Amino acid sequence: MNKHYTLKPQLLAFVVLMMAGVLVSGMSWAQATVTGKVLDEAGQPLPGVNVVEKGTSSGTTTTASGEYSLRVTTPQPVLVFSFVGYQPQEIAVNNRGVISPTLALDNRMLNEVVVVGYGTQQKKDLTGSIASADLVAFKESPNVSILQSLKGSLPGLTIGQTNRAGEEASISIRGTSTLNGNTSPLIIVDGIIFNGRLSDINPADVASVDVLKDPSSKAVYGSQAANGVVLITTKTGRASIKPTITYSGNFAVSSPTINAKLLRRDAFLEKIRDINYLTAFTKESGYTELNPAWTFANSELFPISVAGVAAGNDYDWYGDLTQDASIQNHNVSISGGSDKTNYFVSGGYTNEKGFIRNDDYARYTIRTNIDTEVTKWLTVGANTSGSFTNFYKDSPDMNSIVGTNPLVLPRDASGNYIVNPIGDFNVNPFLAAENDRYEVQSRLVGNFYGIVRIPSLPGFSYRLNFGNNLKFFKNYTSSIYGAGQTGSAAKNDATQYDQTLDNILNYTRSFGKHNINVTAVYGYNTSQFNRTVASGTGFSDLNLSYNSLQQAEVQKISSEAWEEALLYQLGSVSYNYGSKYLVKATVRRDGFSGFSKNNKTGIFPSIGLGWVISEENFFEVPNIDFLKIRGSYGENGNKVGRYSSLARVSATDASKYVFGDGGLTAIGRSVSSLANSDLKWERTRGINIGLDFAILNNRIDGNVEYYNSNTKDLLWEQTLPQTSGFSKVFTNLGQINNTGFEFMLHGQPVRTNKLSWDVTVNFARNRNKVVSILGEDLNNDGVEDDLIASGLFIGKPIGTIYNYKVQGIYQLTDEKLEGFLPGTYRIEDVNQDGKITAADDRQFLGNTEPAYSFGIQNTVSYGQFTLRAFINSIQGGKNSYLSANVPYGYNGTPGQATNSNWFDFTDFWSPRNPGGIHPNPWLSTPAGGREFFQRNFVRLQDVSLSYSLTDKVAKTIGAANCKVFVSGKNLLTFTKWKGWDPETNTTLYPVGGPANGINTALGVTSINAFPVMRSYSLGLDITF
């Protein structure tokens, strides 16, 4: 039986009234306004405090007098007050119209959370050396890569200079501790090993960068951590936050910091006369007055250039082969979350035009980070990204540009390019720009994870990480001028796939003052690579470019592949008692496929201890708020290159053979390297001692570090006697010591109602020395022999300079050693035997490594304005950070020097310029010699000025907040270095020659050097 229920009129009226009341109440809240004044601990008003209604994009900032007014929009609003240097507060409105909170100072040393191996930890509980980057300080700089934002900002972290579009900067941590082993730090992105270019990551997607530097913190990553670890965490959404849309973008114009030019006609002709001064000038005048009988036809100037003299040619090769440089970045992100799910979605576009024609680069990035709490015991998530880069066309190298001269033209009378414009083997630099080039790199990353928590076992969690990294390389090119103008084309396709699987068990428990954290990891990392190259030369028709290689008269194809695997297990225990006594112990075991069968695995232990002295009852020192001493000892490994322990075979032309009379040529195999079944892990053992402090009511905080490490069983390619049939074999030998001192100091010298000044200073000094090499004493003097041919000396740094000492340049009337001419180096004859020989006259001149480096970051805020300035410097002290300042590329003959050009900063000796700093390199001498100069510099590296719109103005455009800014990069450089910037083209000369050995960051060369760029940018950052 169906029953029909109806409401009585009185009850219906009551329900209607109640619903109306709720609606009216909701409407009244939607229209309610909360006001108040925010104060600091001293009762003074705080300007610029962010006041946000939780769960919405509605917010404002306090005025100069600390006052605010905010219209709330939710039925039960909660206000969040936050300000740099203070602890945030959340306050429920609860029908109040006035809320005036007092914010407490935030001890950043105690509460800052940093990323450590397989987790996070509060900085106050650390026993190791971990540095966190201040990414906000460089957010407004026109940086294409996150590495550019780290340059000079952290002690012990060295980032190289970049001067080409899309170029990846070099990176090292705490100097050099290996010879032939891997020198790059381990990169971890969102907990997964990252093999590739950090420039592929959009800097706008990065939330934090933490650097592990000491043995204890690095030991978590064992065999790959000898050179330090860089942990990058990308952005995520926040729970219970409505969708927030953010756009950030900037446009920058760039020009060289050194405004150098190639010599134009008049200066170039003077240069030719100076090269030929013996005949171009009169002897009676001391070779300073012109010889009227001499003409340019009397020099070694090629006929086409002689004709250019008569024609009055003055072509600006450098001007026409360069372009207006610029950078533009555009980033859009959407983030937010519900109670159970957080998300962050972003897209980015970067376009960089370099200074040289066709030196262009573009990058497109996408990212989706999401995690959701499926149940109370299960959380799943994914960090996925795509990066697509395009290097566009070929650009001419600097050598080819400098190899031309203003007397010749790039095109003939018919408008066609002249292949060899000066009449020798040097190719017209415009030809490279005419090539059809397609070079793209695409990276797809999918890192997936699940976290399981057992309700009946509080503090326990199991996390499964599954990382996938797939990269595609495509490099296609064709040139009608290639292969001796017969035409050439090629297609180069490659793929690399990296996979990581981590099983992470974690247990955290606190009972009383006892706090314990236990972590266990079992996982693997594999890499696979494949490449196929097809090429051809001799084309009658290149209209189809590289898409019709079958038309080539000569066709070639080649392929290669490799794979490697790393298996690891980890156990780590952290314990602290009342955040006063700290202990962390770690043991990691690694197995790598590249090592010999007898030494596949290595075990790497570490221990760290800490004592927070300021927590002791007896510690009652005024103005010292926090004081902790810590120390760690550990062992890290270094991997060898894949297949280094195996005997390898090759199928070269030398391996071909003919079997039987009249037989066909067959492709054979020959052994190309020796096996070493005892090749083992390179091991670095070291200590780190640190002091963390905060003083003056936390107005000043910082840390001091000292470290000392020894690397043994160095991976080294040892030279073998020719009778063995092999030139080298990989083995273990020697020892290197590496020591250093670092400190970072942060303070707030000024903090008033209207003005605040925040400053951070970092300093680093590193020294290494060779303790042992081969262990040989062939001269029986009781001291181990140096390895002079490889530049390695017992007891001295790896970058030691052992060369002739230059005492100036010989002048016309100087008494000279036999074989030396005016305009060549005057070299010290150490043993006074009247001749210069390598065995008797070389001496130790210093070393190439910096003596120390420092950086100073200043942030000054006044009202809505914020000014940031960062100074970066590297210094050489007494005899360090040296490099030969020689214009390479002009060595050889007077003919080469006569027909080539050089930049106007080049200062060669001549009778008219007796004070020139460069010798005449085209003059041969019994000994070469190099004069070494210090590369010291102080650089105003980053400057920005931003203005944040007031809440009232931002709301008129529908924004939650909006900031406009201008910035500059590399605006000023103070240095005594002559020529290109002291960091330009920092060639990393390897010990043992360019084909092997280690990168030692030795110095500068002008071979194919490009200028460092100065940039000015304008940008916008807006959130809806």
Side-chain angles (χ1 to χ4, degrees):
M1 179 178 178
N2 294 328
K3 292 184 178 181
H4 299 275
Y5 297 93
T6 59
L7 290 174
K8 295 182 178 180
Q10 297 88 340
L11 182 59
L12 179 60
F14 177 76
V15 172
V16 171
L17 286 173
M18 287 294 295
M19 294 178 64
V22 171
L23 291 174
V24 171
S25 175
M27 292 176 62
S28 66
W29 274 115
Q31 298 174 358
T33 298
V34 181
T35 62
K37 178 183 288 189
V38 182
L39 306 175
D40 63 12
E41 287 183 322
Q44 298 298 316
L46 276 175
V49 176
N50 292 316
V51 185
V52 179
E53 183 181 2
K54 187 175 182 180
T56 73
S57 59
S58 177
T60 185
T61 57
T62 57
T63 64
S65 59
E67 297 178 344
Y68 73 95
S69 176
L70 179 64
R71 190 179 300 273
V72 294
T73 60
T74 57
Q76 297 178 339
V78 175
L79 300 186
V80 179
F81 299 85
S82 61
F83 188 61
V84 175
Y86 290 82
Q87 296 177 12
Q89 281 193 37
E90 294 187 7
I91 301 177
V93 174
N94 291 334
N95 300 324
R96 288 177 291 176
V98 178
I99 297 178
S100 298
T102 297
L103 298 188
L105 282 170
D106 182 11
N107 189 331
R108 65 195 296 268
M109 180 63 67
L110 291 175
N111 300 320
E112 183 179 353
V113 175
V114 297
V115 178
V116 297
Y118 303 105
T120 60
Q121 196 172 7
Q122 283 191 315
K123 204 164 188 178
K124 67 177 181 179
D125 296 330
L126 293 176
T127 60
S129 177
I130 300 179
S132 300
D134 181 7
L135 299 181
V136 175
F138 302 95
K139 186 177 180 181
E140 289 134 15
S141 298
N143 293 329
V144 174
S145 168
I146 190 64
L147 291 176
Q148 294 171 304
S149 298
L150 301 176
K151 182 175 172 60
S153 63
L154 293 176
L157 178 65
T158 302
I159 307 294
Q161 186 62 263
T162 58
N163 45 25
R164 302 294 303 273
E167 184 178 14
E168 178 84 348
S170 62
I171 178 173
S172 64
I173 298 175
R174 288 186 169 180
T176 303
S177 59
T178 184
L179 293 178
N180 275 135
N182 178 33
T183 60
S184 300
L186 177 67
I187 308 297
I188 304 292
V189 178
D190 292 329
I192 302 294
I193 295 173
F194 183 85
N195 294 317
R197 289 165 37 94
L198 283 177
S199 297
D200 290 346
I201 299 175
N202 187 351
D205 291 345
V206 177
S208 67
V209 177
D210 298 280
V211 180
L212 313 184
K213 298 186 291 184
D214 76 298
S216 176
S217 57
K218 294 189 302 182
V220 175
Y221 292 102
S223 66
Q224 303 171 90
N227 303 302
V229 183
V230 178
L231 302 173
I232 296 176
T233 304
T234 59
K235 295 179 179 178
T236 61
R238 292 189 297 168
S240 302
I241 294 294
K242 289 185 177 181
T244 299
I245 302 174
T246 300
Y247 165 81
S248 63
N250 62 71
F251 178 80
V253 293
S254 306
S255 60
T257 56
I258 303 297
N259 189 26
K261 304 290 184 182
L262 288 175
L263 300 182
R264 298 297 293 273
R265 176 186 171 87
D266 291 343
F268 184 80
L269 295 180
E270 287 293 334
K271 180 261 295 189
I272 297 176
R273 295 189 185 98
D274 287 337
I275 293 173
N276 296 271
Y277 72 88
L278 289 174
T279 55
F281 296 90
T282 61
K283 181 178 181 180
E284 296 75 16
S285 66
Y287 302 105
T288 59
E289 295 182 5
L290 291 175
N291 177 1
W294 184 88
T295 67
F296 290 100
N298 300 129
S299 70
E300 294 189 43
L301 196 64
F302 294 147
I304 191 171
S305 295
V306 174
V309 175
N313 291 345
D314 186 14
Y315 185 72
D316 185 8
W317 288 87
Y318 190 63
D320 285 356
L321 283 163
T322 55
Q323 62 185 8
D324 295 330
S326 64
I327 302 172
Q328 58 175 309
N329 290 297
H330 303 279
N331 304 286
V332 177
S333 67
I334 303 174
S335 64
S338 64
D339 292 340
K340 303 294 184 181
T341 301
N342 303 326
Y343 61 87
F344 174 83
V345 180
S346 73
Y349 169 69
T350 296
N351 185 283
E352 182 176 9
K353 294 178 68 68
F355 183 62
I356 303 299
R357 177 182 288 200
N358 280 0
D359 183 24
D360 301 335
Y361 166 80
R363 180 187 63 209
Y364 304 84
T365 62
I366 56 174
R367 177 172 293 277
T368 300
N369 292 348
I370 185 171
D371 70 271
T372 183
E373 184 180 324
V374 180
T375 68
K376 291 184 178 181
W377 58 269
L378 176 62
T379 299
V380 297
N383 295 328
T384 64
S385 65
S387 176
F388 312 94
T389 58
N390 191 332
F391 290 87
Y392 292 104
K393 298 182 179 181
D394 283 334
S395 60
D397 61 61
M398 193 65 77
N399 279 348
S400 64
I401 297 175
V402 178
T404 60
N405 72 61
L407 305 178
V408 298
L409 304 177
R411 298 177 184 268
D412 58 23
S414 301
N416 299 315
Y417 281 119
I418 303 171
V419 177
N420 305 106
I422 67 172
D424 64 356
F425 60 86
N426 287 304
V427 176
N428 190 330
F430 279 99
L431 301 187
E434 294 298 307
N435 293 345
D436 187 10
R437 172 80 175 278
Y438 176 75
E439 182 181 357
V440 297
Q441 298 180 15
S442 302
R443 180 187 295 275
L444 299 175
V445 176
N447 298 332
F448 308 94
Y449 61 89
I451 304 174
V452 177
R453 299 178 178 87
I454 301 176
S456 60
L457 188 58
F460 174 82
S461 68
Y462 165 68
R463 177 172 179 137
L464 177 67
N465 287 339
F466 182 48
N468 299 269
N469 193 326
L470 180 61
K471 189 169 185 179
F472 302 90
F473 306 80
K474 291 183 179 294
N475 190 346
Y476 304 163
T477 183
S478 72
S479 172
I480 60 175
Y481 303 101
Q485 302 183 60
T486 65
S488 63
K491 274 191 169 185
N492 183 340
D493 285 280
T495 60
Q496 181 173 337
Y497 173 61
D498 303 325
Q499 184 182 96
T500 300
L501 183 69
D502 287 331
N503 296 274
I504 307 170
L505 297 174
N506 183 264
Y507 179 68
T508 301
R509 185 178 179 185
S510 298
F511 44 98
K513 292 186 177 181
H514 302 276
N515 303 279
I516 188 169
N517 181 282
V518 181
T519 302
V521 179
Y522 182 89
Y524 69 81
N525 174 256
T526 62
S527 293
Q528 298 176 343
F529 178 83
N530 286 279
R531 183 197 304 274
T532 300
V533 180
S535 63
T537 59
F539 287 86
S540 59
D541 182 2
L542 261 179
N543 288 332
L544 295 178
S545 187
Y546 42 71
N547 293 315
S548 187
L549 298 179
Q550 64 272 18
Q551 295 188 49
E553 293 182 7
V554 179
Q555 302 173 20
K556 293 184 178 180
I557 188 169
S558 63
S559 62
E560 63 171 318
W562 54 258
E563 61 181 3
E564 62 183 26
L566 177 73
L567 184 68
Y568 45 86
Q569 303 90 40
L570 164 76
S572 179
V573 178
S574 296
Y575 168 81
N576 79 69
Y577 177 79
S579 293
K580 183 190 303 184
Y581 308 115
L582 316 171
V583 180
K584 182 175 182 179
T586 300
V587 176
R588 173 155 169 155
R589 179 179 182 269
D590 283 279
F592 180 58
S593 60
F595 280 102
S596 64
K597 60 182 180 180
N598 296 338
N599 297 284
K600 284 290 184 187
T601 60
I603 297 177
F604 307 98
S606 76
I607 187 169
L609 303 173
W611 178 26
V612 183
I613 305 174
S614 56
E615 290 293 318
E616 297 287 359
N617 294 330
F618 63 78
F619 188 86
E620 296 181 358
V621 181
N623 297 320
I624 297 182
D625 307 298
F626 179 76
L627 183 64
K628 179 177 71 174
I629 186 171
R630 50 185 166 79
S632 64
Y633 170 83
E635 183 174 314
N636 310 116
N638 204 341
K639 294 193 308 181
V640 73
R642 64 190 72 89
Y643 310 128
S644 296
S645 66
L646 302 178
R648 283 167 284 181
V649 297
S650 61
T652 61
D653 288 342
S655 303
K656 294 180 178 178
Y657 65 96
V658 177
F659 184 77
D661 293 336
L664 298 176
T665 301
I667 299 176
R669 301 286 188 274
S670 59
V671 179
S672 59
S673 66
L674 280 178
N676 183 354
S677 57
D678 294 318
L679 188 67
K680 56 187 177 181
W681 297 83
E682 182 176 285
R683 294 177 178 270
T684 300
R685 299 182 178 93
I687 63 169
N688 187 94
I689 300 174
L691 179 72
D692 301 329
F693 61 89
I695 62 176
L696 301 177
N697 201 19
N698 300 314
R699 292 284 290 272
I700 299 176
D701 61 74
N703 59 75
V704 180
E705 309 273 354
Y706 168 78
Y707 59 90
N708 190 322
S709 66
N710 288 282
T711 304
K712 297 182 178 180
D713 297 328
L714 299 169
L715 296 168
W716 178 259
E717 279 193 301
Q718 187 170 2
T719 302
L720 298 175
Q722 292 184 352
T723 54
S724 68
F726 298 92
S727 59
K728 297 178 180 179
V729 64
F730 248 110
T731 188
N732 300 98
L733 50 79
Q735 178 179 340
I736 293 175
N737 176 256
N738 192 33
T739 63
F741 170 79
E742 302 168 355
F743 77 77
M744 177 172 278
L745 187 67
H746 165 264
Q748 293 180 312
V750 178
R751 187 175 66 226
T752 66
N753 295 343
K754 294 184 178 181
L755 178 67
S756 68
W757 174 24
D758 189 279
V759 60
T760 301
V761 178
N762 75 78
F763 174 91
R765 175 181 175 85
N766 174 267
R767 275 288 178 268
N768 66 63
K769 67 178 180 180
V770 178
V771 178
S772 176
I773 313 174
L774 301 178
E776 297 178 342
D777 181 16
L778 300 180
N779 57 5
N780 296 316
D781 63 353
V783 180
E784 182 179 341
D785 296 338
D786 299 323
L787 202 60
I788 299 177
S790 297
L792 298 175
F793 303 90
I794 304 300
K796 295 187 179 298
I798 295 175
T800 293
I801 298 173
Y802 183 64
N803 210 314
Y804 302 114
K805 184 176 182 179
V806 172
Q807 298 179 311
I809 296 177
Y810 280 120
Q811 303 297 321
L812 289 169
T813 58
D814 288 344
E815 182 179 349
K816 307 170 187 66
L817 293 178
E818 183 179 355
F820 289 83
L821 300 171
T824 60
Y825 275 136
R826 179 198 301 271
I827 296 175
E828 182 179 3
D829 183 8
V830 177
N831 63 351
Q832 299 293 316
D833 64 353
K835 57 185 178 179
I836 303 299
T837 59
D840 297 325
D841 297 308
R842 285 186 296 177
Q843 50 188 302
F844 295 106
L845 304 179
N847 66 84
T848 60
E849 299 173 342
Y852 62 91
S853 62
F854 66 86
I856 304 174
Q857 174 66 51
N858 286 277
T859 301
V860 179
S861 297
Y862 182 83
Q864 307 297 119
F865 289 94
T866 300
L867 174 66
R868 305 181 192 274
F870 179 70
I871 296 172
N872 183 30
S873 177
I874 300 179
Q875 299 292 321
K878 182 180 179 180
N879 61 352
S880 299
Y881 205 41
L882 297 173
S883 178
N885 192 351
V886 178
Y888 295 91
Y890 314 117
N891 295 313
T893 66
Q896 181 182 354
T898 297
N899 288 277
S900 297
N901 207 343
W902 55 61
F903 285 97
D904 53 14
F905 56 64
T906 307
D907 189 18
F908 283 118
W909 175 94
S910 73
R912 295 189 309 110
N913 184 35
I917 65 171
H918 303 311
N920 300 148
W922 49 86
L923 299 178
S924 60
T925 63
R930 292 285 185 267
E931 188 169 9
F932 293 86
F933 300 85
Q934 286 194 315
R935 299 163 53 197
N936 304 347
F937 70 88
V938 177
R939 192 192 306 279
L940 181 58
Q941 181 174 294
D942 292 278
V943 178
S944 68
L945 176 64
S946 65
Y947 176 77
S948 297
L949 274 62
T950 62
D951 179 62
K952 181 178 180 180
V953 175
K955 285 186 176 180
T956 60
I957 59 175
N961 55 68
C962 180
K963 178 176 66 177
V964 293
F965 57 87
V966 293
S967 67
K969 193 170 189 69
N970 301 327
L971 298 187
L972 296 172
T973 302
F974 302 94
T975 181
K976 293 182 179 180
W977 181 264
K978 302 296 184 182
W980 291 118
D981 185 280
E983 287 192 295
T984 292
N985 206 51
T986 307
T987 303
L988 304 181
Y989 293 103
V991 172
N996 53 63
I998 66 159
N999 292 334
T1000 55
L1002 292 194
V1004 174
T1005 173
S1006 58
I1007 293 179
N1008 217 23
F1010 293 83
V1012 170
M1013 304 302 289
R1014 176 190 293 115
S1015 302
Y1016 301 89
S1017 71
L1018 175 67
L1020 171 69
D1021 196 332
I1022 186 170
T1023 300
F1024 299 95

